[in-house]
Amino acid sequence: MKGQLRRAQVALLSFACGALALPLTAARADTPRRSYASPQSFALELKLGPYSPDLDSEFASKGTTATPFADLFGGGSAVLWQTEFDVQLWRGFGSIAIGGSAGYYSKAAAACRQGDATDPAQVSCAGSANRVSGDSTRLTLVPLAALLIYRFDVLADRLNVPLVPYFKGGLNYTLWWMRNGSGSVSTATPPGGTTALRGQGGNLGWQLAGGLALRLDALEPSAARRLDADYGVNHSYLFGELVHVESKRLPDVGDTTFSAGIAFEF
Amino acid sequence: MCPGTRSEITSPSGCRSIPPGSVAAPQNIRSILSSLRLARRAPRRRDDQFIADRVLTLVARLGRWWPLGLGCLAAFAGLLGPAAAQTSSSTFAVKQFREVRFDDATLDLATKTKLTTETLFNQVRCECTADRRRVRVEIEITTDRSNTTESYFVVAGANCLDSEQRIVQDANQCVLVSSGRIGNQETNIVFEATVRQLMPGGCTPDRKSLALTVYVGQDQTAVRKLEPALAYEVDGKPPTAPVKSADPSGGENLATVSFKAGSTSEQDVRYQLLCARLVDGAIAGPWRSTASKTPIFSSPATACSTASASSADAGVSSAALTSGDGGAADGGATDARALDGGIADARAAEARSDAAVAATVSDGSSGSASGLLENPLYVCSDSVAPGSLSITGLTDGQAYRFYVVAVDRAGNTSAPVDLGTTTPVATQDLWERYLAQGGKARGGYGCATAAHTRGGVTLLLVGGALLLLALARGQRRSQRRAARQGRRG
């Protein structure tokens, strides 16, 4: 995860530098101030990024070396697709909005061969010999969030600097389920238990995000004006953000990661 | 008649062509009328010679028009002939085909759809080669005992009447299944025929439409068709066999098999998966023949003629599968009757669909055993789509061999394709591994601990309060802005 964070930081830095290097003066000189702007009340974001739930952190915090998620899925990430819709409540020195987001994450791997192991905890998953290609296991997450968003778009609106930093925070509720090779939700009995438990649930938590958006209007001002006049799209953005999702319930399906996407204000 | 589209008769032996646009017919009529008028205006001489001359003259004049006269006579004959024949023939008529009864199933034609009709006909195609199955047909008629000379002929086939109104005498095209004197026919026509008779051209024709038609006439060389006819379709051509894509692999109580369609152009083809238990590397029955140990589903032909074999082996196979095979034991006992009988009626088919087997297939679709021709003891799943499929409900440690069979709408089956052998094994998925290694999650959608509940509720309350605050503030600002704009205006 540290590697991912470093990559995310590098990506954001490059993104910001690239944006600042834009010929702002030229854009300002060529572009007359907007004489028309449609009402602006909403924002829509489509984004994606790597995600790897911290399922194994539970065991590390207990001091054990068990890593069930890494054993089965390795260290890589899968893509988390998300969409977010915001309602901008206040516009003054920046804008404040409330929003909701929903995402989808799914990752599958071949199941581990149980073999002759009598203790399920001792089943080895290492190597292809210990995997069964005809059977699979899959973890699926659907993170939902209610967010409060602040966008500092003063620079873009008043000084024609096309960068909009923003911050988000709110509640997160992640639906999760684990399926077996037959496609049904996995059921298992914990050691010492008597009741079989179904591998599905929903975890409440919180999340914070900070990002930087590049307002695309400066690249093609006339097209931006037409987009506003014809469709009511005030601004469009490319953005990248760092996000931390904290799961307050086990299994820990949170992660600290980054995502990037495109956004529209309308 | 003269050749060409427009002509005028100038002499009994010749034609003169008339250029387009001229009016020829009135000329002709006028010349006829004028000759008649001349005859009337002639002085009336009362001597015999004069009368004889006039008669001869008239005959001679009329003689020039004999082709026209003959034409008129022919036209009258053509118009009145059939009517006269109809009047003179019987009122014998087909009211309806009341029922088609197989040995163990009755098709009520008043309530069954055409699809059911063809299904029943096609399901029995397997029996037709042996001529074992007989079909009883009852045709409700309007009787006519007054006509003792005509006969009726019930013919199965297509295009059974040639251009001269004769019944086609070709056993590959039309088969006379019943006949009799109308005058002797006091009740409905009832006859029995073999299925083979209803399928002229053999038992494995390509898909074609046929009909059971009643003809009436003095003999088979001069008949007329009565309506309605009973239309049905036969289709004995098996679909193209599917193709194996990859070797099967076993999972926990499941196996994954892969195959693709043999032909992309064939429509209405479904696939059945057949699962056979292996003991010491060989299929553990049931057998068509215990001596040769040939599996019952080894070919479509054997699938068609399993009646005696399945009845002989049913007891053994059902017991064996109930004890070990999770695949199809439940469905087997129910369907053994259908195989034993060779054909099931619609009610039995419905009942069969309820007899789901333990094994299911997961590929986005699931299936249950409802095979009509294959031995259902083997059917793991019906109506699956080509691709990679997981067959569940199997026993870990038990070797299985898998086959796939293409089945078309008429119930024709391809040769079973051997998909290979595998053995389901116990596996560990993420949830099992998580719990086995001491994971504390227990699933569910509530909050795990009271502390977490309090935290969540606090977060929810703070978020809600912030939201309300923002909403109220935004509303106040917009009201103030609107008021300012109003004052400026």
Side-chain angles (χ1 to χ4, degrees):
Chain A
M1 202 61 247
K2 279 183 180 175
Q4 284 179 2
L5 274 176
R6 183 173 294 278
R7 282 199 298 275
Q9 287 163 356
V10 170
L12 276 179
L13 192 60
S14 310
F15 186 66
C17 292
L20 286 172
L22 288 169
L24 304 177
T25 351
R28 195 183 309 157
D30 295 344
T31 314
R33 291 192 68 82
R34 296 164 73 103
S35 55
Y36 170 77
S38 64
Q40 178 181 323
S41 304
F42 307 102
L44 177 70
E45 291 183 2
L46 303 169
K47 55 190 173 185
L48 58 92
Y51 199 85
S52 182
D54 291 335
L55 208 77
D56 295 339
S57 63
E58 170 188 352
F59 301 93
S61 64
K62 287 191 293 191
T64 66
T65 57
T67 53
F69 183 82
D71 291 347
L72 279 157
F73 295 104
S77 301
V79 175
L80 171 66
W81 301 83
Q82 282 184 291
T83 183
E84 180 183 314
F85 184 77
D86 304 335
V87 178
Q88 295 180 339
L89 303 171
W90 176 80
R91 290 191 60 78
F93 195 72
S95 70
I96 290 179
I98 57 167
S101 73
Y104 180 81
Y105 164 96
S106 187
K107 193 170 188 186
C112 302
R113 183 184 299 276
Q114 190 146 327
D116 299 327
T118 51
D119 180 3
Q122 301 305 316
V123 173
S124 173
C125 284
S128 58
N130 289 318
R131 297 298 185 96
V132 178
S133 61
D135 203 350
S136 63
T137 180
R138 178 178 290 275
L139 170 66
T140 304
L141 306 177
V142 176
L144 308 170
L147 300 166
L148 188 64
I149 304 110
Y150 174 73
R151 292 176 198 276
F152 183 69
D153 53 11
V154 178
L155 293 176
D157 285 345
R158 301 182 186 178
L159 302 175
N160 268 359
V161 177
L163 292 176
V164 179
Y166 62 89
F167 304 94
K168 302 174 183 176
L171 296 176
N172 176 287
Y173 188 78
T174 300
L175 297 165
W176 59 271
W177 58 90
M178 302 175 193
R179 293 192 186 277
N180 56 26
S182 67
S184 53
V185 173
S186 179
T187 302
T189 305
T194 54
T195 308
L197 304 172
R198 286 172 64 81
Q200 63 182 18
N203 289 9
L204 188 65
W206 52 268
Q207 71 180 64
L208 286 174
L212 190 64
L214 168 65
R215 186 177 280 187
L216 300 175
D217 303 11
L219 299 178
E220 194 62 51
S222 59
R225 280 197 299 275
R226 276 202 306 275
L227 205 61
D228 193 5
D230 294 346
Y231 301 104
V233 176
N234 302 87
H235 306 292
S236 50
Y237 299 91
L238 286 176
F239 67 89
E241 67 186 28
L242 280 171
V243 60
H244 174 77
V245 179
E246 185 72 24
S247 179
K248 300 304 291 182
R249 193 175 177 228
L250 298 175
D252 188 349
V253 290
D255 189 20
T256 301
T257 184
F258 65 94
S259 62
I262 189 166
F264 303 97
E265 286 182 321
F266 52 98
Chain B
M1 288 295 288
C2 297
T5 54
R6 293 166 61 83
S7 59
E8 181 184 18
I9 298 172
T10 54
S11 72
S13 60
C15 296
R16 178 171 64 85
S17 94
I18 295 175
S22 62
V23 184
Q27 282 283 1
N28 257 347
I29 294 168
R30 266 201 297 276
S31 65
I32 297 168
L33 291 177
S34 66
S35 66
L36 292 175
R37 275 198 298 272
L38 282 174
R40 280 201 300 272
R41 286 171 188 169
R44 294 187 176 186
R45 288 159 45 187
R46 293 192 177 275
D47 54 283
D48 294 343
Q49 182 61 40
F50 173 77
I51 292 170
D53 287 347
R54 295 306 299 173
V55 169
L56 285 173
T57 304
L58 189 59
V59 168
R61 283 177 184 272
L62 287 176
R64 294 178 184 175
W65 303 97
W66 66 267
L68 188 61
L70 278 181
C72 288
L73 281 176
F76 270 110
L79 285 172
L80 299 178
Q86 186 73 33
T87 308
S88 64
S89 71
S90 70
T91 56
F92 184 83
V94 173
K95 285 180 73 175
Q96 62 172 327
F97 281 76
R98 176 172 280 178
E99 69 174 30
V100 176
R101 183 195 301 270
F102 295 94
D103 288 357
D104 56 357
T106 299
L107 174 62
D108 181 355
L109 295 171
T111 58
K112 299 300 180 188
T113 62
K114 184 190 174 195
L115 183 63
T116 310
T117 310
E118 75 181 46
T119 301
L120 279 175
F121 271 103
N122 285 305
Q123 283 172 3
V124 297
R125 87 197 184 290
C126 292
E127 301 291 327
C128 79
T129 48
D131 263 358
R132 287 192 297 216
R133 184 156 300 279
R134 298 186 68 79
V135 180
R136 180 180 180 275
V137 178
E138 181 174 350
I139 306 173
E140 190 176 353
I141 57 168
T142 302
T143 58
D144 180 15
R145 281 181 288 169
S146 63
N147 192 325
T148 58
T149 59
E150 285 196 315
S151 300
Y152 69 85
F153 307 95
V154 183
V155 179
N159 303 320
C160 292
L161 215 54
D162 66 14
S163 58
E164 296 177 358
Q165 304 295 301
R166 293 179 303 197
I167 294 175
V168 173
Q169 302 291 325
D170 181 355
N172 286 327
Q173 187 176 347
C174 299
V175 173
L176 177 66
V177 289
S178 178
S179 63
R181 279 247 188 252
I182 292 176
N184 299 336
Q185 196 65 31
E186 297 182 358
T187 60
N188 294 339
I189 297 174
V190 180
F191 64 90
E192 282 195 357
T194 62
V195 173
R196 187 182 181 83
Q197 285 179 298
L198 297 180
M199 300 176 72
C203 290
T204 56
D206 287 349
R207 187 179 184 85
K208 61 183 179 183
S209 298
L210 300 177
L212 205 57
T213 311
V214 180
Y215 298 96
V216 167
Q218 295 294 336
D219 55 38
Q220 293 185 43
T221 60
V223 296
R224 62 184 187 279
K225 179 182 175 183
L226 299 186
E227 297 288 352
L230 175 63
Y232 58 95
E233 289 184 345
V234 296
D235 178 5
K237 185 180 180 182
T240 308
V243 178
K244 173 184 171 181
S245 301
D247 287 331
S249 54
E252 187 167 274
N253 299 122
L254 63 85
T256 303
V257 298
S258 301
F259 69 93
K260 56 187 178 183
S263 167
T264 54
S265 60
E266 290 175 344
Q267 303 294 318
D268 295 328
V269 175
R270 60 192 171 88
Y271 297 89
Q272 285 184 333
L273 289 175
L274 311 176
C275 312
R277 277 188 318 129
L278 297 182
V279 174
D280 295 331
I283 295 174
W287 311 112
R288 159 175 310 287
S289 160
T290 308
S292 65
K293 293 197 171 180
T294 306
I296 285 175
F297 53 81
S298 60
S299 75
T302 54
C304 280
S305 53
T306 52
S308 58
S310 65
S311 61
D313 292 344
V316 177
S317 55
S318 292
L321 287 169
T322 306
S323 63
D325 191 339
D330 296 340
T334 308
D335 279 359
R337 185 196 59 78
L339 272 179
D340 203 18
I343 180 174
D345 61 15
R347 289 182 299 279
E350 288 165 8
R352 209 174 13 252
S353 67
D354 296 334
V357 293
T360 58
V361 169
S362 59
D363 65 329
S365 65
S366 60
S368 60
S370 59
L372 297 171
L373 299 172
E374 299 76 38
N375 187 336
L377 296 169
Y378 282 115
V379 176
C380 317
S381 183
D382 199 359
S383 297
V384 296
S388 184
L389 312 162
S390 291
I391 305 167
T392 61
L394 306 179
T395 304
D396 288 346
Q398 166 66 60
Y400 291 87
R401 172 163 283 173
F402 301 95
Y403 295 79
V404 62
V405 175
V407 184
D408 68 14
R409 193 177 69 156
N412 299 305
T413 60
S414 72
V417 173
D418 188 352
L419 296 176
T421 301
T422 193
T423 304
V425 294
T427 61
Q428 193 175 55
D429 60 32
L430 177 61
W431 183 238
E432 290 168 335
R433 190 168 185 82
Y434 172 85
L435 291 179
Q437 296 190 335
K440 297 300 180 189
R442 293 297 178 261
Y445 296 92
C447 296
T449 63
H452 290 153
T453 307
R454 280 196 297 274
V457 170
T458 307
L459 275 172
L460 200 63
L461 288 175
V462 170
L466 279 172
L467 180 63
L468 288 174
L469 196 66
L471 279 171
R473 188 179 168 85
Q475 197 168 8
R476 276 200 303 274
R477 283 184 70 91
S478 61
Q479 283 171 351
R480 272 188 228 133
R481 193 179 301 125
R484 273 201 301 273
Q485 285 171 348
R487 280 198 297 275
R488 281 177 197 158

